[in-house]
């Protein structure tokens, strides 16, 4: 993948160099259409190369329908492939990168995104967005039993979640509701509900209470062009830094991973949770995460940085002012952030004086800190991630939720009943 990225002159899905020696776009399309579902990696790489060239030189496609056909063939190939578990998400992400290269106008981008989602849903046996919402559509409680394959429905939602929105210089920032029956809302809801764990009844108590029972009431997208530009620049910087050797994987976070395309360096991008009071959440949407303010209100066990959790219930504990806790039934908000970790430093002990990660074996500064839990010999109950640069984290969604009336968690035992 790294060799291909250097050869095509692309950087995280963006064409950056002219004079690429690649086949003509029509030739690439003809080749793939002729082969049908017998696609292989060489075909996909060839198509990506051709599209990079087409996007840079603004060469027109023959017809919109041909592109639609190619997208469907690629999806069908990977849904039938014996390697689909390992490669499906990566190649779906590749399609997203291709679309970003192809269409720059907002209207065209929305149109081609609709085509892509229709192609995915048709290939996966899901209702087409072009046909509207049917009785078999997803609801706030998850996909309907009428869907042929709930795992494929999850993959469609994951696709939508991993694609960064197109940005406009005319927008300061925007927070908009997702319909609760949309794949994106379902994916984010499941991330929150499915990652709860047990917590101590009180600080240093040996007793563990049952996990929280959370009810998601709304999911909103966060689009901030200024923060996204900074985040993409950070990705490019880390890619240049880690291109030769890549980044070591983080198995503990694999289920939250944003899959890289086959032509990108794997920089360990993950969806992670951040809890904060409502006023702070609004500031994050507008101005991003501020590592230099880490520890001002909740301690700094791993130094001055931005803290994230892999478990929503860990972040739930930070959604209120500790001195003035909210009632149990209050609606709270978690920030879902896209965080790039790069090469991580794994620590089993506190680092409360840290202002950056330590240096690695190659004497280059590492990119993030992974605080290991006590089950792995660490000093915290649940895994934590700390980044020390603002641009390493991008808020992408807000999930509003409440604790169920009969929630048995440790936090509800400590919080006032209230109205």
């Amino acid at each position: 993948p790294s060799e291909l990225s250097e050869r095509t002159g692309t950087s995280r899905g963006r064409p950056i160099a002219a004079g690429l020696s690649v086949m003509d776009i029509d030739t690439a399309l003809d080749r793939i259409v002729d082969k049908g579902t017998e696609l292989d990696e060489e075909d996909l790489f060839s198509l990506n190369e051709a599209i990079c060239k087409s996007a840079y030189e603004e060469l027109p496609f023959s017809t919109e329908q041909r592109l639609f056909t190619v997208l469907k063939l690629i999806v069908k190939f990977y849904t039938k492939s014996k390697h689909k578990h390992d490669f499906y998400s990566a190649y779906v992400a590749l399609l997203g990168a291709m679309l970003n290269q192809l269409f720059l106008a907002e209207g065209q981008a929305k149109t081609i995104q609709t085509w892509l989602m229709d192609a995915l849903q048709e290939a996966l046996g899901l209702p087409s967005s072009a046909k509207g919402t049917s009785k078999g559509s997803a609801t706030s409680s998850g996909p309907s039993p009428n869907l042929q394959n709930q795992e494929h429905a999850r993959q469609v939602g994951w696709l939508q979640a991993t694609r960064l929105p197109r940005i406009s210089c005319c927008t300061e920032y925007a927070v908009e509701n997702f319909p609760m029956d949309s794949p994106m809302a379902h994916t984010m809801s499941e991330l929150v509900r499915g990652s709860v764990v047990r917590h101590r009844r009180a600080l240093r108590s040996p007793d563990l209470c049952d996990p929280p029972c959370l009810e998601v009431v709304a999911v909103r997208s966060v689009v901030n062009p200024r923060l996204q530009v900074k985040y993409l620049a950070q990705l490019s910087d880390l890619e240049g830094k880690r291109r030769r050797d890549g980044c070591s994987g983080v198995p503990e976070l694999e289920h939250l991973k944003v899959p890289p395309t086959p032509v990108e360096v794997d920089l360990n991008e993950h969806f992670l949770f951040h809890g904060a009071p409502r006023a702070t959440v609004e500031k994050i949407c507008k101005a991003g995460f501020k590592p230099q303010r880490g520890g001002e209100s909740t301690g700094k066990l791993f130094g001055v940085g931005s803290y994230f959790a892999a478990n929503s219930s860990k972040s739930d504990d930070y959604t209120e002012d500790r001195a003035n806790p909210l009632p149990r039934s209050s609606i709270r908000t978690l920030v879902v952030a896209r965080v790039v970790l790069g090469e991580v430093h794994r620590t089993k002990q506190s680092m409360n004086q840290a202002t950056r990660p330590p240096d690695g074996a190659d004497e280059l500064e590492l990119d993030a800190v992974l605080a290991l839990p006590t089950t792995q010999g660490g000093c915290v109950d649940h895994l934590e991630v700390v980044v020390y640069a603002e641009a390493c984290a991008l808020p992408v969604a807000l999930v509003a939720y409440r604790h169920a009336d009969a929630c048995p968690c440790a936090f509800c035992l400590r919080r006032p009943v209230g109205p």
Side-chain angles (χ1 to χ4, degrees):
S2 60
E3 293 176 359
L4 179 67
S5 184
E6 292 172 355
R7 180 160 53 90
T8 59
T10 62
S11 177
R12 307 207 69 78
R14 299 184 300 280
I16 59 173
L20 303 180
S21 178
V22 294
M23 67 175 63
D24 177 78
I25 185 66
D26 283 333
T27 304
L29 289 172
D30 283 334
R31 176 179 176 183
I32 291 179
V33 171
D34 289 342
K35 293 192 71 171
T37 56
E38 297 180 359
L39 296 171
D40 53 30
E41 291 187 5
E42 181 182 355
D43 293 314
L44 292 174
F45 288 151
S46 297
L47 179 62
N48 190 51
E49 286 181 332
I51 288 178
C52 290
K53 179 180 176 70
S54 175
Y56 188 87
E57 298 183 357
E58 299 182 352
L59 300 175
F61 273 96
S62 297
T63 64
E64 297 165 346
Q65 185 59 39
R66 294 187 67 203
L67 177 59
F68 181 61
T69 300
V70 171
L71 295 176
K72 289 201 296 184
L73 290 174
I74 292 175
V75 173
K76 287 183 177 179
F77 171 73
Y78 276 98
T79 56
K80 295 179 180 179
S81 169
K82 63 181 179 179
H83 301 296
K84 66 181 180 181
H85 177 74
D86 296 322
F87 296 109
Y88 177 85
S89 294
Y91 280 95
V92 163
L94 173 60
L95 295 182
M98 288 159 47
L99 294 182
N100 284 335
Q101 293 167 349
L102 279 171
F103 295 96
L104 303 180
E106 184 176 356
Q108 289 177 313
K110 289 182 178 178
T111 301
I112 194 61
Q113 184 179 13
T114 300
W115 289 338
L116 172 59
M117 294 309 302
D118 285 347
L120 283 169
Q121 292 173 347
E122 179 180 334
L124 302 177
L126 302 174
S128 170
S129 61
K131 298 177 182 178
T133 303
S134 66
K135 294 182 179 180
S137 304
T139 65
S140 59
S141 61
S144 163
N146 293 334
L147 295 180
Q148 295 181 7
N149 192 313
Q150 293 190 6
E151 173 61 17
H152 285 162
R154 185 194 67 82
Q155 291 174 336
V156 170
W158 199 254
L159 163 67
Q160 290 188 340
T162 56
R163 290 199 63 208
L164 289 174
R166 302 188 67 82
I167 58 176
S168 169
C169 60
C170 299
T171 303
E172 180 184 6
Y173 74 100
V175 178
E176 298 180 350
N177 284 315
F178 283 111
M180 287 304 292
D181 61 354
S182 67
M184 179 66 168
H186 175 65
T187 297
M188 291 297 166
S189 298
E190 286 304 301
L191 282 180
V192 170
R193 291 195 297 254
S195 62
V196 295
V197 290
R198 302 173 72 191
H199 293 269
R200 296 182 186 275
R201 182 178 296 272
L203 184 64
R204 298 186 180 87
S205 169
D207 300 326
L208 295 176
C209 296
D210 289 336
C213 180
L214 305 182
E215 299 173 347
V216 175
V217 298
V219 178
R220 292 173 288 169
S221 66
V222 180
V223 179
N224 189 316
R226 182 176 58 83
L227 298 181
Q228 185 168 319
V229 167
K230 291 169 64 176
Y231 182 77
L232 291 174
Q234 183 74 8
L235 294 182
S236 294
D237 182 65
L238 286 177
E239 186 172 36
K241 179 180 176 182
R242 301 296 178 189
R243 175 177 295 280
R244 187 182 70 177
D245 299 321
C247 298
S248 304
V250 187
E252 297 91 340
L253 300 176
E254 189 65 28
H255 62 295
L256 298 170
K257 190 177 183 69
V258 176
T261 72
V263 296
E264 292 176 347
V265 176
D266 187 347
L267 298 177
N268 284 325
E269 287 185 84
H270 296 83
F271 288 123
L272 296 170
F273 302 106
H274 183 85
R278 180 176 300 178
T280 304
V281 169
E282 293 177 359
K283 293 178 182 178
I284 289 172
C285 293
K286 183 175 183 178
F289 296 97
K290 300 296 182 183
Q292 66 271 24
R293 303 192 66 173
E296 287 186 352
S297 58
T298 56
K300 51 176 185 176
L301 192 60
F302 302 100
V304 180
S306 293
Y307 286 67
F308 299 90
N311 305 106
S312 60
S313 54
K314 170 75 173 178
S315 296
D316 172 59
D317 191 27
Y318 297 89
T319 56
E320 60 193 1
D321 183 348
R322 299 286 180 85
N324 187 25
L326 297 171
R328 298 179 190 176
S329 59
S330 296
I331 293 180
R332 304 164 186 272
T333 301
L334 287 180
V335 181
V336 180
R338 183 164 172 160
V339 185
V340 58
L341 307 184
E343 188 67 25
V344 303
H345 171 67
R346 305 168 72 91
T347 183
K348 296 181 179 180
Q349 56 190 7
S350 64
M351 301 169 50
N352 52 20
Q353 299 302 315
T355 57
R356 64 173 180 83
D359 293 341
D362 57 1
E363 298 186 355
L364 285 177
E365 181 182 305
L366 298 175
D367 307 307
V369 166
L370 185 74
L372 298 176
T374 53
T375 53
Q376 294 179 255
C379 60
V380 291
D381 287 336
H382 305 291
L383 184 145
E384 296 183 28
V385 172
V386 187
V387 295
Y388 301 84
E390 285 188 26
C392 283
L394 177 70
V396 295
L398 304 179
V399 180
Y401 66 98
R402 65 166 64 93
H403 286 248
D405 292 340
C407 180
C409 77
F411 308 133
C412 283
L413 294 178
R414 302 197 294 262
R415 288 166 177 162
V417 176

